[in-house]
Structure formats: structure tokens, C-alpha cells
Amino acid sequence: MSAGESSGVRLDSWVWAVRLFKTRSLAAAACRSGHVRVNGVSMKPAYSVRVGDEVRVRAGGVERVVEVVRLVKKRVGAAEAVLCLIDRTPPPPPREVLLAVPQRDRGTGRPTKRERRELDRLHGFNED
């Protein structure tokens, strides 16, 4: 690690460099909207990440928890990106739990246009 890296790297640049986001602008937008947290606190894109920080990234409906092991400023290959972080993301729930989520039957929520018209006729409202 060089002397320049010991001071830290921009948060948006680091999460982009280790391939947690596809583009740096997406990484910066996620930081601004509060989807990236460092040590439990939402940070701006210019925050300096240091070795040992815990970074939580919420993207695509999945939250990833990583620990910073090495600082990089430029985007690196996937094999090298794995060496820059420790992935502490909890495993996803088993499929049985996901399949147990009930699905709403069609028509059980808000009435469709056809059903609303039938209800209007039943209640005797005027049909213009």
C-alpha cells in the first residue's frame, strides 16, 4: 500500500472499483440516496474509506455486507476485486421459506373495471 492510499479512497470510487456497482455514477447515486452505509452510517460519495471499514450496499433488492481489506482507486478485474474485500453477507433464506410467501389471488384486491361496473349496476347508480 502506498502513502497515497493510507489516507483513504472515495467511497463511490471504491465500491465501483471492487465491482459492487456497474458504473461509478451508479455508485455515487446509491451513496447519495442512502443505499451505501459505512460502519452503519449513510455516507456521501466523497467519504474516505479506510481499511477495516464495514460497507453495506443495498442494490437490486439484496444487501451485501463487505469489509475493506485493500484500497483501490481504479477498477480491477473480478479475481483481484475479491482480494480487496471480505464478503460477510449472510446467506439467503432457504427456498422453502421463499416459497411459503402467500401469493394474492387475482381479483381479491381492488375491483377491476368490469367488477366495479357490475357493482355500480347492482347498487343502482346511473349509467351515463
Side-chain angles (χ1 to χ4, degrees):
M1 179 172 12
S2 68
E5 290 183 350
S6 63
S7 63
V9 177
R10 283 180 59 106
L11 176 61
D12 62 341
S13 180
W14 188 82
V15 295
W16 165 74
V18 295
R19 298 175 171 266
L20 295 177
F21 286 97
K22 200 169 203 173
T23 65
R24 185 166 171 195
S25 61
L26 286 175
C31 291
R32 281 191 299 274
S33 62
H35 296 293
V36 180
R37 299 167 83 71
V38 179
N39 298 325
V41 180
S42 293
M43 294 293 177
K44 293 183 178 181
Y47 176 79
S48 292
V49 177
R50 291 174 174 58
V51 175
D53 285 346
E54 178 192 66
V55 179
R56 291 178 174 262
V57 176
R58 192 173 60 236
V62 177
E63 184 177 47
R64 293 199 53 197
V65 181
V66 297
E67 182 182 333
V68 179
V69 175
R70 203 170 99 202
L71 300 175
V72 290
K73 292 183 180 179
K74 299 204 178 224
R75 194 164 171 98
V76 294
E80 193 173 339
V82 173
L83 302 174
C84 297
L85 56 90
I86 298 173
D87 194 357
R88 300 197 188 282
T89 305
R95 286 192 93 202
E96 295 81 30
V97 173
L98 293 177
L99 294 176
V101 175
Q103 297 294 321
R104 187 179 71 85
D105 291 333
R106 182 178 170 94
T108 58
R110 186 174 173 178
T112 63
K113 193 172 194 179
R114 181 180 180 185
E115 292 169 341
R116 183 184 52 80
R117 287 179 178 159
E118 290 173 359
L119 286 171
D120 287 345
R121 262 188 245 115
L122 181 67
H123 290 295
F125 292 112
N126 287 341
E127 294 180 41
D128 293 288

